[in-house]
């Protein structure tokens, strides 16, 4: 069963959510995990891509972007991929290639159950609180055990 984690931050901006996701991604990469970052659209994917390159001046996270219609040769080699599609199950995303899904999307990804870990990053922003509460209820109603990491206490 997919392990579910909700990281609760004290920050109030979407930027806080995305920076934390970059740090989580960096940590997961160091541990050898393959990560899929889910966003709502291609524009957000490009913005997150830029952030992954420059969120820390001394480090960057190599990654690829999913594409709507054509497989990218880089995706099969990339440890980190940013996706905005409904379902990334294409030739360039073999089943179970990525073991961690970090969801930054308003939508609950239908394909989250294919991952070992599903992560939501919660900031104190009304829109984010609204959709992450819905995601929490969806997961809880289906019996997924949920781990809370309250980062406000650290």
């Amino acid at each position: 069963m997919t392990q579910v984690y909700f990281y609760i931050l004290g920050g109030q901006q979407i930027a806080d959510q995305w920076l934390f996701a970059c740090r989580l991604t960096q940590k997961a990469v160091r541990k050898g995990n393959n990560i899929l970052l889910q966003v709502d659209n291609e524009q957000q994917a490009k913005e997150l891509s830029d952030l992954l390159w420059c969120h820390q001046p001394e480090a960057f996270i190599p990654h690829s972007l999913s594409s709507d219609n054509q497989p990218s040769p880089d995706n099969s080699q990339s440890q980190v991929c940013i996706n905005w599609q409904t379902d990334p199950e294409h030739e360039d995303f073999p089943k179970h290639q990525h073991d961690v899904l970090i969801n930054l999307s308003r939508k609950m990804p239908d394909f989250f159950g294919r991952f070992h870990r599903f992560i939501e990053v919660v900031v104190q922003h009304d829109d984010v609180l609204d959709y992450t509460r819905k995601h929490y209820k969806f997961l809880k109603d289906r019996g997924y055990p949920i781990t809370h990491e309250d980062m406000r206490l650290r």
Side-chain angles (χ1 to χ4, degrees):
M1 181 176 263
T2 301
Q3 298 173 357
V4 178
Y5 296 87
F6 276 72
Y7 286 88
I8 302 151
L9 310 180
Q12 298 180 355
Q13 305 299 318
I14 302 296
D16 298 321
Q17 181 189 39
W18 283 29
L19 284 170
F20 187 80
C22 287
R23 289 193 297 273
L24 272 179
T25 299
Q26 190 171 35
K27 184 176 178 180
V29 165
R30 280 195 300 259
K31 291 182 176 184
N33 296 119
N34 294 315
I35 300 95
L36 183 71
L37 292 150
Q38 183 72 24
V39 295
D40 287 320
N41 55 55
E42 186 174 6
Q43 180 60 38
Q44 286 182 351
K46 290 177 180 176
E47 291 171 14
L48 184 56
S49 175
D50 290 344
L51 191 58
L52 285 171
W53 281 106
C54 67
H55 79 282
Q56 290 183 338
E58 69 282 356
F60 69 94
I61 301 170
H63 60 279
S64 59
L65 297 174
S66 64
S67 67
D68 280 333
N69 299 316
Q70 50 191 341
S72 165
D74 294 337
N75 287 352
S76 61
Q77 303 299 320
S78 184
Q79 196 173 350
V80 176
C81 187
I82 303 170
N83 181 57
W84 63 92
Q85 300 173 67
T86 305
D87 189 344
E89 191 70 20
H90 296 290
E91 293 174 25
D92 54 335
F93 289 103
K95 201 169 193 174
H96 301 297
Q97 177 187 356
H98 298 92
D99 51 356
V100 177
L101 171 58
I102 299 175
N103 188 38
L104 300 172
S105 173
R106 296 176 187 281
K107 301 172 198 136
M108 183 68 190
D110 294 336
F111 52 87
F112 77 93
R114 293 198 303 249
F115 293 80
H116 296 295
R117 279 180 281 170
F118 175 75
I119 297 172
E120 290 271 357
V121 180
V122 183
V123 292
Q124 307 308 304
H125 182 282
D126 288 341
D127 290 340
V128 175
L129 289 170
D130 181 53
Y131 73 74
T132 54
R133 284 180 182 134
K134 290 175 184 171
H135 296 175
Y136 178 89
K137 182 177 181 347
F138 174 88
L139 293 160
K140 189 78 167 168
D141 288 350
R142 282 152 185 82
Y144 285 91
I146 299 172
T147 301
H148 300 89
E149 296 287 342
D150 194 339
M151 306 308 288
R152 298 173 294 187
L153 304 176
R154 296 180 184 183

XYZ file of all heavy atoms in Angstrom, residues 55-123:
573
model
N 17.365 26.769 -6.824
C 16.879 26.978 -5.452
C 18.014 27.076 -4.441
O 17.854 27.668 -3.388
C 15.856 25.911 -5.042
C 16.444 24.604 -4.644
N 16.905 23.684 -5.548
C 16.649 24.075 -3.419
C 17.371 22.638 -4.897
N 17.225 22.848 -3.618
N 19.154 26.501 -4.764
C 20.355 26.653 -3.951
C 21.505 26.979 -4.896
O 21.738 26.239 -5.860
C 20.683 25.373 -3.192
C 19.721 25.064 -2.088
C 20.140 23.817 -1.320
O 20.876 22.971 -1.805
N 19.650 23.703 -0.105
N 22.221 28.050 -4.625
C 23.294 28.462 -5.543
C 24.382 27.397 -5.723
O 24.952 27.273 -6.796
C 23.880 29.710 -4.883
C 22.901 30.148 -3.864
C 22.057 28.965 -3.506
N 24.637 26.602 -4.691
C 25.717 25.620 -4.760
C 25.264 24.253 -5.277
O 26.077 23.343 -5.413
C 26.392 25.455 -3.388
C 25.531 24.792 -2.328
C 24.483 25.696 -1.675
O 24.418 26.899 -1.959
O 23.711 25.161 -0.872
N 23.973 24.101 -5.534
C 23.477 22.792 -5.975
C 22.317 22.960 -6.949
O 21.638 23.980 -6.948
C 22.998 21.990 -4.760
N 22.118 21.955 -7.768
C 20.953 21.911 -8.634
C 20.479 20.471 -8.688
O 21.211 19.546 -8.347
C 21.255 22.452 -10.040
C 22.172 21.567 -10.830
C 21.656 20.613 -11.689
C 23.547 21.693 -10.726
C 22.494 19.772 -12.408
C 24.389 20.870 -11.448
C 23.867 19.911 -12.291
N 19.252 20.300 -9.111
C 18.690 18.955 -9.200
C 18.422 18.655 -10.670
O 17.523 19.234 -11.272
C 17.380 18.850 -8.393
C 17.644 19.194 -6.916
C 16.774 17.463 -8.532
C 16.383 19.362 -6.100
N 19.207 17.770 -11.276
C 18.928 17.399 -12.671
C 17.555 16.753 -12.770
O 17.162 15.969 -11.908
C 20.025 16.382 -13.000
C 21.056 16.539 -11.939
C 20.349 17.068 -10.729
N 16.825 17.107 -13.819
C 15.460 16.628 -13.961
C 15.013 16.762 -15.411
O 15.716 17.331 -16.234
C 14.525 17.437 -13.060
C 14.529 18.893 -13.385
N 15.513 19.744 -12.934
C 13.694 19.648 -14.147
C 15.281 20.958 -13.398
N 14.179 20.929 -14.141
N 13.841 16.232 -15.665
C 13.254 16.356 -17.001
C 11.794 16.755 -16.849
O 11.213 16.660 -15.767
C 13.369 15.045 -17.769
O 12.706 14.014 -17.074
N 11.220 17.214 -17.956
C 9.802 17.563 -18.009
C 9.082 16.517 -18.831
O 9.609 16.047 -19.840
C 9.600 18.928 -18.668
C 10.192 20.136 -17.976
C 10.012 21.374 -18.835
C 9.553 20.348 -16.624
N 7.871 16.163 -18.411
C 7.079 15.272 -19.244
C 6.626 16.062 -20.458
O 6.606 17.288 -20.447
C 5.884 14.717 -18.474
O 5.006 15.754 -18.128
N 6.249 15.362 -21.511
C 5.720 16.061 -22.685
C 4.369 15.471 -23.025
O 4.096 14.303 -22.776
C 6.678 15.936 -23.864
O 6.739 14.608 -24.307
N 3.497 16.286 -23.560
C 2.134 15.847 -23.835
C 2.051 14.738 -24.868
O 1.305 13.795 -24.707
C 1.285 17.022 -24.322
C 0.814 17.877 -23.170
O 0.685 17.363 -22.059
O 0.565 19.057 -23.401
N 2.789 14.859 -25.943
C 2.570 13.951 -27.064
C 3.758 13.101 -27.471
O 3.607 12.168 -28.224
C 2.118 14.754 -28.298
C 0.822 15.480 -28.028
O -0.082 14.898 -27.450
N 0.742 16.724 -28.427
N 4.922 13.451 -27.021
C 6.070 12.691 -27.493
C 6.989 12.311 -26.350
O 7.244 13.099 -25.477
C 6.825 13.485 -28.549
C 7.141 14.893 -28.139
C 7.634 15.697 -29.317
O 8.053 15.147 -30.310
N 7.592 17.001 -29.202
N 7.496 11.094 -26.365
C 8.423 10.675 -25.332
C 9.734 11.435 -25.459
O 10.151 11.781 -26.538
C 8.639 9.186 -25.600
C 7.875 8.839 -26.803
C 7.169 10.050 -27.308
N 10.316 11.702 -24.324
C 11.621 12.352 -24.306
C 12.669 11.323 -23.948
O 12.529 10.605 -22.975
C 11.613 13.472 -23.262
O 12.916 13.887 -22.982
N 13.762 11.246 -24.706
C 14.793 10.271 -24.367
C 15.390 10.525 -22.997
O 15.862 9.619 -22.344
C 15.838 10.459 -25.465
C 15.485 11.681 -26.199
C 14.076 12.032 -25.874
N 15.341 11.777 -22.531
C 15.905 12.092 -21.228
C 15.074 11.532 -20.084
O 15.591 11.237 -19.023
C 16.015 13.610 -21.049
C 17.008 14.218 -22.016
O 17.888 13.482 -22.494
O 16.893 15.421 -22.291
N 13.763 11.394 -20.268
C 12.899 10.970 -19.168
C 13.237 9.589 -18.645
O 13.122 9.329 -17.467
C 11.428 11.003 -19.592
C 10.906 12.418 -19.705
O 11.574 13.377 -19.333
N 9.716 12.543 -20.233
N 13.637 8.692 -19.502
C 13.929 7.333 -19.044
C 15.198 7.295 -18.197
O 15.403 6.383 -17.432
C 14.058 6.387 -20.239
O 15.122 6.813 -21.068
N 16.058 8.291 -18.331
C 17.307 8.333 -17.581
C 17.221 9.240 -16.351
O 18.088 9.209 -15.512
C 18.437 8.835 -18.497
C 18.634 8.020 -19.753
C 18.987 6.578 -19.448
O 19.750 6.299 -18.532
N 18.420 5.650 -20.200
N 16.203 10.066 -16.276
C 16.112 11.078 -15.238
C 15.568 10.500 -13.940
O 14.582 9.786 -13.936
C 15.214 12.214 -15.721
O 15.190 13.235 -14.764
N 16.217 10.868 -12.853
C 15.784 10.434 -11.531
C 14.615 11.287 -11.027
O 13.867 10.869 -10.164
C 16.978 10.542 -10.574
C 16.838 9.794 -9.297
C 18.126 9.812 -8.491
O 19.181 10.231 -8.955
N 18.028 9.353 -7.270
N 14.469 12.485 -11.609
C 13.414 13.415 -11.221
C 12.703 13.888 -12.481
O 13.341 14.269 -13.454
C 14.000 14.639 -10.474
C 12.912 15.649 -10.146
C 14.739 14.207 -9.221
N 11.386 13.857 -12.440
C 10.605 14.337 -13.571
C 9.451 15.184 -13.057
O 8.865 14.879 -12.019
C 10.073 13.173 -14.392
S 9.260 13.714 -15.906
N 9.146 16.243 -13.804
C 8.003 17.103 -13.494
C 6.905 16.773 -14.490
O 7.133 16.773 -15.694
C 8.386 18.589 -13.592
C 9.569 18.907 -12.667
C 7.178 19.467 -13.237
C 10.159 20.285 -12.868
N 5.723 16.503 -13.969
C 4.601 16.078 -14.798
C 3.397 16.986 -14.578
O 3.122 17.409 -13.473
C 4.224 14.635 -14.430
C 3.081 14.112 -15.255
O 3.141 14.092 -16.481
N 2.016 13.693 -14.591
N 2.661 17.261 -15.641
C 1.405 18.014 -15.547
C 0.266 17.274 -16.230
O -0.847 17.748 -16.269
C 1.557 19.413 -16.138
C 1.884 19.415 -17.599
C 0.982 19.469 -18.637
C 3.162 19.353 -18.202
N 1.644 19.446 -19.839
C 3.002 19.376 -19.595
C 4.463 19.276 -17.692
C 4.065 19.323 -20.484
C 5.518 19.230 -18.580
C 5.307 19.254 -19.949
N 0.560 16.103 -16.741
C -0.455 15.334 -17.458
C -1.380 14.616 -16.482
O -1.045 14.425 -15.323
C 0.228 14.308 -18.351
C 1.148 14.957 -19.373
C 1.916 13.914 -20.117
O 1.314 13.166 -20.860
N 3.214 13.859 -19.907
N -2.516 14.191 -16.986
C -3.458 13.444 -16.173
C -2.840 12.128 -15.715
O -2.921 11.764 -14.569
C -4.756 13.162 -16.961
O -5.260 14.414 -17.410
C -5.778 12.486 -16.095
N -2.194 11.430 -16.621
C -1.555 10.157 -16.297
C -0.262 10.048 -17.092
O -0.278 10.049 -18.309
C -2.477 8.992 -16.640
C -1.962 7.660 -16.131
O -0.763 7.558 -15.773
O -2.755 6.719 -16.081
N 0.857 9.952 -16.402
C 2.145 9.923 -17.101
C 2.500 8.549 -17.658
O 3.642 8.312 -18.024
C 3.132 10.331 -16.010
C 2.524 9.789 -14.769
C 1.024 9.944 -14.965
N 1.567 7.642 -17.725
C 1.855 6.285 -18.197
C 2.023 6.289 -19.715
O 1.108 6.039 -20.477
C 0.726 5.333 -17.776
C 1.057 3.875 -17.982
C 2.118 3.380 -17.018
O 2.347 3.994 -15.989
O 2.727 2.350 -17.318
N 3.199 6.630 -20.153
C 3.567 6.647 -21.569
C 4.804 5.787 -21.745
O 5.363 5.272 -20.782
C 3.889 8.080 -22.032
C 2.726 9.005 -21.957
N 1.639 8.914 -22.780
C 2.490 10.054 -21.140
C 0.785 9.863 -22.482
N 1.272 10.561 -21.487
N 5.267 5.683 -22.961
C 6.495 4.931 -23.217
C 7.662 5.485 -22.416
O 8.559 4.757 -22.015
C 6.842 5.007 -24.714
C 5.851 4.288 -25.589
C 6.146 4.524 -27.059
O 7.305 4.802 -27.396
O 5.218 4.424 -27.859
N 7.670 6.806 -22.200
C 8.785 7.409 -21.476
C 8.596 7.356 -19.960
O 9.459 7.775 -19.217
C 9.038 8.845 -21.935
C 7.815 9.733 -21.854
O 6.692 9.197 -21.916
O 7.983 10.955 -21.763
N 7.478 6.827 -19.486
C 7.250 6.635 -18.062
C 6.826 5.198 -17.797
O 5.651 4.920 -17.600
C 6.147 7.568 -17.550
C 6.553 8.997 -17.501
C 6.124 9.876 -18.473
C 7.362 9.469 -16.492
C 6.483 11.203 -18.432
C 7.727 10.790 -16.446
C 7.298 11.658 -17.423
N 7.769 4.275 -17.817
C 7.377 2.893 -17.521
C 6.762 2.795 -16.132
O 7.095 3.567 -15.251
C 8.701 2.127 -17.578
C 9.722 3.061 -18.076
C 9.177 4.449 -18.026
N 5.866 1.858 -15.976
C 5.190 1.674 -14.700
C 6.221 1.475 -13.586
O 7.165 0.721 -13.731
C 4.272 0.459 -14.791
C 3.191 0.460 -13.764
C 2.178 -0.607 -14.088
C 0.960 -0.385 -13.239
N -0.111 -1.257 -13.581
N 6.009 2.181 -12.491
C 6.835 2.096 -11.281
C 8.252 2.621 -11.474
O 9.123 2.323 -10.682
C 6.884 0.666 -10.735
C 5.554 0.116 -10.390
N 4.755 0.651 -9.422
C 4.865 -0.915 -10.908
C 3.629 -0.039 -9.341
N 3.666 -0.983 -10.245
N 8.496 3.403 -12.502
C 9.830 3.977 -12.641
C 10.129 4.914 -11.477
O 11.219 4.923 -10.949
C 9.975 4.729 -13.957
C 11.337 5.388 -14.092
C 11.418 6.264 -15.317
O 10.506 6.341 -16.099
N 12.546 6.922 -15.454
N 9.157 5.718 -11.091
C 9.324 6.655 -9.991
C 8.662 6.067 -8.751
O 7.558 5.568 -8.822
C 8.695 8.006 -10.345
C 9.339 8.637 -11.528
N 8.882 8.442 -12.809
C 10.428 9.428 -11.629
C 9.659 9.107 -13.640
N 10.600 9.710 -12.957
N 9.382 6.133 -7.614
C 8.811 5.536 -6.406
C 8.250 6.568 -5.431
O 7.581 6.213 -4.475
C 9.809 4.601 -5.721
C 11.163 5.219 -5.482
O 11.405 6.353 -5.907
O 11.996 4.557 -4.863
N 8.505 7.855 -5.684
C 7.981 8.916 -4.825
C 7.216 9.912 -5.700
O 7.749 10.390 -6.706
C 9.122 9.654 -4.079
C 8.564 10.797 -3.244
C 9.917 8.688 -3.207
N 5.990 10.212 -5.299
C 5.182 11.221 -5.983
C 4.986 12.381 -5.022
O 4.427 12.210 -3.934
C 3.825 10.641 -6.395
C 2.781 11.616 -6.939
C 3.280 12.361 -8.168
C 1.485 10.881 -7.259
N 5.490 13.564 -5.409
C 5.268 14.780 -4.636
C 4.212 15.576 -5.384
O 4.448 16.024 -6.508
C 6.573 15.592 -4.461
C 7.619 14.768 -3.711
C 6.276 16.901 -3.715
C 8.986 15.424 -3.594
N 3.060 15.711 -4.763
C 1.931 16.358 -5.425
C 1.866 17.836 -5.070
O 1.667 18.201 -3.919
C 0.623 15.677 -5.038
C -0.533 16.193 -5.843
O -0.399 16.465 -7.031
N -1.677 16.348 -5.209
N 2.031 18.676 -6.090
C 1.876 20.121 -5.939
C 0.675 20.604 -6.743
O 0.520 21.784 -6.993
C 3.151 20.835 -6.404
C 4.422 20.456 -5.635
C 5.648 21.050 -6.298
C 4.321 20.871 -4.182
N -0.156 19.663 -7.127
C -1.324 19.941 -7.951
C -2.574 20.078 -7.090
O -2.692 19.433 -6.044
C -1.526 18.802 -8.955
O -2.724 18.954 -9.655
N -3.508 20.856 -7.573
C -4.808 20.978 -6.918
C -5.599 19.684 -7.032
O -6.481 19.416 -6.233
C -5.621 22.101 -7.559
C -5.033 23.465 -7.416
C -5.881 24.492 -8.169
N -5.250 25.787 -8.183
C -5.257 26.636 -7.162
N -5.865 26.307 -6.053
N -4.669 27.800 -7.259
N -5.280 18.897 -8.047
C -6.008 17.657 -8.308
C -5.326 16.491 -7.604
O -4.108 16.440 -7.497
C -6.062 17.378 -9.804
C -6.726 18.465 -10.594
C -6.562 18.224 -12.076
C -6.833 19.499 -12.839
N -5.874 19.757 -13.875
N -6.142 15.554 -7.179
C -5.620 14.310 -6.626
C -5.274 13.416 -7.806
O -6.167 13.028 -8.574
C -6.685 13.654 -5.742
C -6.238 12.415 -5.059
S -4.994 12.830 -3.824
C -4.457 11.195 -3.439
N -3.992 13.088 -8.002
C -3.620 12.263 -9.158
C -4.234 10.862 -9.080
O -4.108 10.180 -8.069
C -2.097 12.188 -9.075
C -1.687 13.273 -8.141
C -2.841 13.499 -7.216
N -4.901 10.449 -10.148
C -5.525 9.123 -10.191
C -4.504 8.001 -10.065
O -4.840 6.901 -9.642
C -6.288 8.938 -11.510
C -7.483 9.865 -11.625
O -7.994 10.311 -10.574
O -7.903 10.146 -12.761
N -3.289 8.267 -10.432
C -2.248 7.242 -10.517
C -1.364 7.166 -9.272
O -0.367 6.458 -9.265
C -1.381 7.492 -11.761
C -0.855 8.893 -11.848
C 0.337 9.253 -11.224
C -1.548 9.866 -12.549
C 0.818 10.545 -11.297
C -1.076 11.164 -12.636
C 0.114 11.504 -12.004
N -1.727 7.863 -8.174
C -0.872 7.925 -6.986
C -0.590 6.545 -6.400
O 0.447 6.319 -5.794
C -1.490 8.839 -5.924
C -2.615 8.213 -5.163
C -2.378 7.550 -3.972
C -3.928 8.255 -5.641
C -3.414 6.958 -3.271
C -4.959 7.684 -4.953
C -4.707 7.026 -3.767
N -1.500 5.598 -6.566
C -1.354 4.269 -5.976
C -0.234 3.437 -6.572
O 0.120 2.393 -6.025
N 0.341 3.871 -7.676
C 1.464 3.151 -8.288
C 2.801 3.476 -7.614
O 3.813 2.895 -7.952
C 1.561 3.501 -9.774
C 0.396 2.980 -10.573
C 0.695 2.949 -12.045
N 1.083 4.222 -12.614
C 0.339 4.917 -13.474
N -0.832 4.474 -13.849
N 0.782 6.054 -13.959
N 2.780 4.409 -6.673
C 4.009 4.866 -6.037
C 4.137 4.283 -4.641
O 3.138 4.018 -3.972
C 4.017 6.402 -5.962
C 4.108 7.051 -7.312
C 2.989 7.172 -8.113
C 5.319 7.521 -7.783
C 3.063 7.759 -9.363
C 5.411 8.119 -9.029
C 4.286 8.227 -9.823
N 5.369 4.120 -4.183
C 5.599 3.648 -2.813
C 5.212 4.730 -1.812
O 4.657 4.436 -0.765
C 7.064 3.259 -2.604
C 7.500 2.116 -3.447
N 6.991 0.853 -3.318
C 8.396 2.055 -4.466
C 7.552 0.053 -4.205
N 8.407 0.764 -4.916
N 5.554 6.004 -2.166
C 5.248 7.118 -1.274
C 4.543 8.234 -2.036
O 4.937 8.575 -3.151
C 6.528 7.674 -0.643
C 6.968 6.844 0.538
C 8.204 7.396 1.146
N 9.296 6.949 0.265
C 10.528 7.366 0.324
N 10.871 8.270 1.200
N 11.436 6.907 -0.489
N 3.541 8.784 -1.390
C 2.794 9.926 -1.919
C 2.927 11.042 -0.906
O 2.631 10.853 0.280
C 1.321 9.548 -2.118
C 0.461 10.697 -2.555
C 0.522 11.169 -3.855
C -0.407 11.306 -1.654
C -0.280 12.237 -4.257
C -1.209 12.363 -2.054
C -1.143 12.830 -3.361
N 3.369 12.218 -1.368
C 3.649 13.335 -0.465
C 2.854 14.567 -0.870
O 2.833 14.946 -2.044
C 5.160 13.670 -0.465
C 5.948 12.474 0.063
C 5.437 14.930 0.351
C 7.456 12.612 -0.074
N 2.218 15.178 0.114
C 1.557 16.477 -0.048
C 2.304 17.470 0.840
O 2.647 17.157 1.985
C 0.099 16.421 0.412
C -0.813 15.622 -0.464
C -1.439 16.443 -1.597
O -1.211 17.669 -1.696
O -2.177 15.826 -2.374
N 2.542 18.666 0.320
C 3.185 19.732 1.085
C 2.131 20.806 1.320
O 1.596 21.386 0.382
C 4.406 20.309 0.333
C 5.056 21.415 1.161
C 5.413 19.205 0.010
N 1.828 21.042 2.598
C 0.751 21.949 2.985
C 1.343 23.250 3.517
O 2.174 23.225 4.422
C -0.134 21.309 4.079
C -1.298 22.214 4.445
C -0.617 19.929 3.649
N 0.911 24.362 2.939
C 1.247 25.675 3.478
C -0.041 26.355 3.917
O -1.136 25.948 3.530
C 2.018 26.557 2.459
C 3.406 25.993 2.193
C 1.248 26.735 1.169
